[in-house]
Amino acid sequence: MTEDGQDAQDEGRPRHPLTGRAESTIQARLLTRLRDDGPLSRTQLADSLEVSRTTIAVEVGRLGELGLVHEVGPAASRGGRRSTIVDLHPDLVFVGISIGATGMTVGLTDGRLAVRAQRSCASDVREGPEGVLECAVALARELLAEIGVERPVGAGIGVPGPVDFDRGISVSPPIMPGWDGYPVRDVVSRALGCPALLDNDVNVLAAGELHAGVARSSRDFLFVKIGTGIGCGLVVDGRVYRGVDGCAGDIGHIRVEETGPTCACGNAGCLEAFAGGAAVARDATTAARSGRSPGLATLLAERGVLTAADVGQAATHGDAVALELVRESGRRVGQVLASLVSFVNPGLIVIGGGLTGVGHSLLAEIRSVTYRRSLPLATGNLPIVLSELGDEGGVIGAARLISSSVYAAG
Amino acid sequence: MTEDGQDAQDEGRPRHPLTGRAESTIQARLLTRLRDDGPLSRTQLADSLEVSRTTIAVEVGRLGELGLVHEVGPAASRGGRRSTIVDLHPDLVFVGISIGATGMTVGLTDGRLAVRAQRSCASDVREGPEGVLECAVALARELLAEIGVERPVGAGIGVPGPVDFDRGISVSPPIMPGWDGYPVRDVVSRALGCPALLDNDVNVLAAGELHAGVARSSRDFLFVKIGTGIGCGLVVDGRVYRGVDGCAGDIGHIRVEETGPTCACGNAGCLEAFAGGAAVARDATTAARSGRSPGLATLLAERGVLTAADVGQAATHGDAVALELVRESGRRVGQVLASLVSFVNPGLIVIGGGLTGVGHSLLAEIRSVTYRRSLPLATGNLPIVLSELGDEGGVIGAARLISSSVYAAG
């Protein structure tokens, strides 16, 4: 709507997903400001959004009627008439659903994305979307009942595979048979009675880092997830950048060699087929069977199968072969990151995902190669750090993405 | 300033470079809208900027007093009171200065960045900044005198080397001895009596493509310049993205091999040391001397030195060695582009720069390798095309960058 109430001019404008009314960038900016900066006085809101106090009063009134904001008392006097402090409404709750290959975490956040309740459980994406999403929705409902909120204002969902962001569906996910084309977003939206949004796990984690992680003060950074596979979230000017088809950040399938082991995607030579967690486990198993590493052979005999975490453990205990496998992964990832650093000149790189459990050997190798191969100007002040967020990273990230959409700033 | 005139609240806000007053995003959006969309009625402006007609009337009045906009008559009636058409002032002139290694083009544009006058001349950046910039300023003054405008509202400058964008200086430019740390922006600003802005030639050309080239309808694209060296302009959501230190797009120094010919930057293995125009000329000279290519040997004997353009000419005439050199360059560039496509998922790639004179063999090879090595989702609809802008590309691009800054939208 226009700020002076000429609603007749609204026709043709996009509708706000929550209110059904024409989108107002002023409302969106106001809500986002309260989300990121906390309670502000009407005067501060008018100043920072560069609109009149009258406009702020009108918009705060409207958002109040919608139950999105409320007034919490008078501001400290700056001389003259006192302003009023505005905050997001305490009943405003987002659901964040973070689905991994073998487990999920579901959480609730308030309007400023602080986690109010969270629960994790085991689940296997290979069993298909119906069961997994039923479980996620059941967890969300339990948590909502516990805090006494009937209906969340939005739900964000992250899944470990490619996503058609605009349509809210999974697309040919290699490790998620049965999910291809499944309307994840709409199923969750219907079940919880609120708008929902689906993204891949790496973008969700990048959004989590942006809001509550080591990247909180950074507006331009890369989040690199090294798990079973490898992916990258690209944050540009404070927003997750998805590219024109929504598949930006798919660095796991950058071809680093002309030939090589076959990747989960069907091609050969992909980064993740050399350096992902599955590749490290595969090479460790080969080394154990060939007798090159007695340590890995013992682990394999004990457990029947080796994981990347086992390799990390062996490396930590001084197994030379395991250590070399970790370093080789870091070297490959660093080579690709060096190119990306020359290309986008980020301010920070955050490394996350399961393989980071192997500790600082991986990080040290990534740092060494990335710094050595990038231009000095781009790496002069480029921290490369491990993520410090646990399971709540996915919850906060998913909540952040849906909040931006609900607040219409996304 | 705030829209209802509370100028007392302005303190601490950035000042507009042109007016010295606190920046108004409403003014910036209004001016940018007129630049990109042409004359609009006050009602259309109010609708599209989502502010009241009263606010538009106030801002148009202020911008009119500053000589930035004027009213050009009544709009067609939509029923009710007629609105008034607003346009950028016809005396509003930007200077675009595009400096190359061996020549420069200087032009004047109107507020909507249409070129009003333009002139090119030979000049050698190796002679240092003083003479080159004196020549550029003299050309600009000649053109201004011809169209009868005393003072431009801003000047944009592109140079063929790295730039510290915020400080407006050249930084360690390999092919521009004597320019390191030279205050290019401030020298031009003082000489022409207007705000100025300095960027590298690739970003300037990317801005030109965005405004008037094949990328006009694209908001997310790569502009790849293959000249003596290789660089890339990255446009994200309709704006040139410079990264946190201003060196985004420096793809010429991505390391594509562990070893290789020494690059102008001093390292080995850089893309441009394999595939740039200088590298192609170097390899052609070797081939001519070794007797592998009689065609290139004849050209070398005639001219004493071979350029990339000579190689292109020989390739066009069917010289197999020359054709292979062009293809090898395209193959290397394509390999790097494939990685960048997986990473940022652009909607378009525009190839420009001197080496494109070698014609479509280069483009064909770049296309083939990029499409083959990127994920299908990212290349399903990814045109890779040659730039169609001539010298005016640099002029329009430089004018676009300074206009965004002057209009305070940059």
Side-chain angles (χ1 to χ4, degrees):
Chain A
M1 70 220 71
T2 53
E3 54 180 308
D4 48 358
Q6 296 167 330
D7 279 328
Q9 297 182 5
D10 284 354
E11 283 164 36
R13 292 237 190 96
R15 299 276 140 179
H16 192 284
L18 191 65
T19 65
R21 292 194 293 163
E23 276 187 19
S24 157
T25 56
I26 294 168
Q27 291 192 351
R29 288 160 63 212
L30 194 158
L31 292 166
T32 306
R33 191 60 60 100
L34 295 176
R35 179 191 72 186
D36 297 340
D37 297 344
L40 291 169
S41 74
R42 285 183 178 193
T43 307
Q44 289 171 320
L45 283 167
D47 286 1
S48 74
L49 303 185
E50 204 190 349
V51 295
S52 69
R53 295 186 204 188
T54 316
T55 300
I56 289 295
V58 170
E59 296 297 347
V60 166
R62 285 175 178 159
L63 292 170
E65 285 167 23
L66 294 166
L68 291 172
V69 304
H70 69 156
E71 298 188 323
V72 293
S77 176
R78 303 199 305 182
R81 205 154 54 98
R82 281 200 173 193
S83 187
T84 310
I85 298 282
V86 181
D87 196 1
L88 291 165
H89 199 284
D91 287 347
L92 209 154
V93 166
F94 292 108
V95 178
I97 299 174
S98 175
I99 297 173
T102 57
M104 71 170 75
T105 302
V106 176
L108 305 180
T109 77
D110 63 18
R112 294 179 58 194
L113 313 187
V115 175
R116 294 185 58 183
Q118 178 176 307
R119 202 156 295 161
S120 299
C121 72
S123 71
D124 188 340
V125 286
R126 288 173 302 181
E127 288 173 9
E130 286 85 0
V132 171
L133 295 179
E134 246 170 55
C135 170
V137 166
L139 273 183
R141 285 190 181 132
E142 268 177 50
L143 295 169
L144 287 164
E146 281 172 24
I147 65 165
V149 166
E150 206 163 299
R151 222 170 89 162
V153 287
I157 311 133
V159 292
V163 156
D164 182 328
F165 183 75
D166 291 333
R167 294 168 63 208
I169 61 175
S170 286
V171 184
S172 323
I175 65 163
M176 301 164 70
W179 290 70
D180 186 29
Y182 192 82
V184 178
R185 179 191 65 196
D186 294 346
V187 165
V188 172
S189 172
R190 264 197 302 277
L192 294 176
C194 65
L197 175 154
L198 176 69
D199 208 337
N200 71 62
D201 56 347
V202 185
N203 285 344
V204 165
L205 289 170
E209 293 293 337
L210 177 63
H211 196 83
V214 284
R216 202 167 34 216
S217 62
S218 178
R219 294 183 62 79
D220 298 87
F221 69 93
L222 307 185
F223 174 80
V224 181
K225 183 187 174 190
I226 312 177
T228 305
I230 295 177
C232 180
L234 169 60
V235 174
V236 167
D237 200 19
R239 295 166 69 162
V240 174
Y241 182 70
R242 295 185 181 82
V244 296
D245 303 300
C247 60
D250 202 351
I251 67 168
H253 304 287
I254 287 181
R255 203 188 293 186
V256 294
E257 296 284 350
E258 289 301 316
T259 56
T262 302
C263 183
C265 75
N267 291 322
C270 297
L271 172 64
E272 92 176 29
F274 284 103
V280 170
R282 174 201 64 213
D283 293 347
T285 306
T286 307
R289 291 199 176 126
S290 72
R292 275 193 294 132
S293 163
L296 289 172
T298 309
L299 280 173
L300 179 60
E302 275 170 29
R303 311 193 177 173
V305 59
L306 284 176
T307 65
D310 296 329
V311 182
Q313 196 193 316
T316 308
H317 288 95
D319 184 282
V321 170
L323 192 60
E324 182 48 34
L325 288 174
V326 169
R327 285 197 180 137
E328 174 65 12
S329 165
R331 194 177 66 82
R332 294 276 189 188
V333 172
Q335 284 173 3
V336 168
L337 288 185
S339 299
L340 306 186
V341 165
S342 295
F343 180 45
V344 296
N345 182 204
L348 170 70
I349 297 178
V350 184
I351 311 281
L355 200 56
T356 55
V358 308
H360 284 260
S361 314
L362 179 73
L363 184 65
E365 194 69 23
I366 291 175
R367 277 185 180 145
S368 154
V369 175
T370 306
Y371 291 149
R372 197 169 65 237
R373 294 175 72 123
S374 311
L375 284 195
L377 186 55
T379 55
N381 182 24
L382 175 65
I384 303 179
V385 298
L386 291 180
S387 168
E388 291 166 9
L389 288 176
D391 287 343
E392 80 273 19
V395 168
I396 294 169
R400 164 115 181 173
L401 293 177
I402 186 63
S403 76
S404 293
S405 169
V406 164
Y407 296 163
Chain B
M1 70 221 71
T2 54
E3 54 181 309
D4 48 0
Q6 297 169 327
D7 280 329
Q9 299 183 3
D10 284 354
E11 283 163 38
R13 290 238 189 96
R15 299 275 140 182
H16 192 284
L18 192 65
T19 64
R21 292 194 294 161
E23 277 188 18
S24 158
T25 56
I26 294 168
Q27 290 191 353
R29 288 159 63 211
L30 194 159
L31 292 165
T32 306
R33 192 58 61 99
L34 295 175
R35 179 190 74 185
D36 297 339
D37 297 345
L40 292 169
S41 73
R42 286 183 176 193
T43 307
Q44 288 171 318
L45 283 168
D47 286 1
S48 75
L49 303 186
E50 204 190 351
V51 296
S52 70
R53 296 186 203 187
T54 317
T55 300
I56 288 295
V58 171
E59 296 298 348
V60 166
R62 285 176 177 158
L63 292 170
E65 284 165 25
L66 293 167
L68 291 172
V69 304
H70 69 157
E71 298 189 321
V72 294
S77 174
R78 303 201 304 183
R81 207 153 53 95
R82 279 199 173 194
S83 187
T84 310
I85 299 282
V86 181
D87 196 3
L88 290 165
H89 199 284
D91 287 348
L92 206 152
V93 165
F94 292 108
V95 178
I97 299 174
S98 174
I99 297 172
T102 58
M104 72 171 75
T105 302
V106 176
L108 305 180
T109 77
D110 62 17
R112 293 178 59 193
L113 312 187
V115 175
R116 293 184 58 182
Q118 178 177 306
R119 202 156 294 161
S120 297
C121 73
S123 73
D124 189 340
V125 287
R126 288 171 304 180
E127 288 172 9
E130 286 85 0
V132 171
L133 294 180
E134 246 171 53
C135 171
V137 166
L139 274 183
R141 285 190 182 133
E142 269 176 49
L143 295 170
L144 287 165
E146 282 172 22
I147 65 165
V149 166
E150 207 162 298
R151 219 170 91 161
V153 287
I157 311 133
V159 292
V163 156
D164 183 328
F165 183 76
D166 290 333
R167 294 168 63 207
I169 62 174
S170 287
V171 184
S172 324
I175 65 163
M176 301 165 70
W179 290 69
D180 187 27
Y182 191 82
V184 177
R185 180 190 64 195
D186 293 346
V187 165
V188 171
S189 173
R190 264 196 302 276
L192 294 176
C194 65
L197 173 154
L198 176 70
D199 208 338
N200 71 63
D201 56 346
V202 185
N203 284 346
V204 165
L205 289 170
E209 293 293 335
L210 177 64
H211 196 84
V214 285
R216 202 166 33 215
S217 62
S218 179
R219 294 183 62 79
D220 298 87
F221 69 93
L222 307 185
F223 173 81
V224 180
K225 183 186 175 193
I226 312 177
T228 305
I230 295 177
C232 180
L234 170 60
V235 174
V236 167
D237 201 19
R239 295 167 70 162
V240 174
Y241 182 71
R242 295 185 179 83
V244 295
D245 303 298
C247 62
D250 203 351
I251 67 168
H253 304 286
I254 286 180
R255 201 187 292 188
V256 294
E257 296 283 351
E258 289 301 316
T259 57
T262 302
C263 183
C265 75
N267 291 322
C270 296
L271 172 64
E272 92 177 29
F274 284 102
V280 170
R282 176 201 64 212
D283 293 346
T285 306
T286 306
R289 291 199 177 127
S290 72
R292 275 193 296 133
S293 164
L296 289 172
T298 308
L299 280 173
L300 179 61
E302 276 171 29
R303 311 194 176 172
V305 60
L306 284 177
T307 65
D310 296 330
V311 182
Q313 196 192 318
T316 308
H317 287 95
D319 185 281
V321 171
L323 193 60
E324 182 47 35
L325 288 173
V326 169
R327 284 197 181 136
E328 174 64 12
S329 165
R331 194 177 67 81
R332 294 276 189 188
V333 172
Q335 284 174 3
V336 167
L337 288 185
S339 299
L340 307 186
V341 165
S342 294
F343 180 45
V344 295
N345 182 205
L348 171 71
I349 297 178
V350 184
I351 312 281
L355 199 57
T356 56
V358 309
H360 284 261
S361 315
L362 179 73
L363 184 64
E365 195 68 23
I366 291 175
R367 277 184 180 146
S368 154
V369 175
T370 307
Y371 291 149
R372 199 169 62 237
R373 292 175 73 123
S374 311
L375 284 195
L377 185 55
T379 56
N381 182 25
L382 175 66
I384 303 179
V385 299
L386 291 179
S387 168
E388 291 166 9
L389 289 176
D391 288 343
E392 81 273 20
V395 169
I396 294 170
R400 164 118 181 170
L401 293 177
I402 185 64
S403 76
S404 293
S405 168
V406 165
Y407 297 162

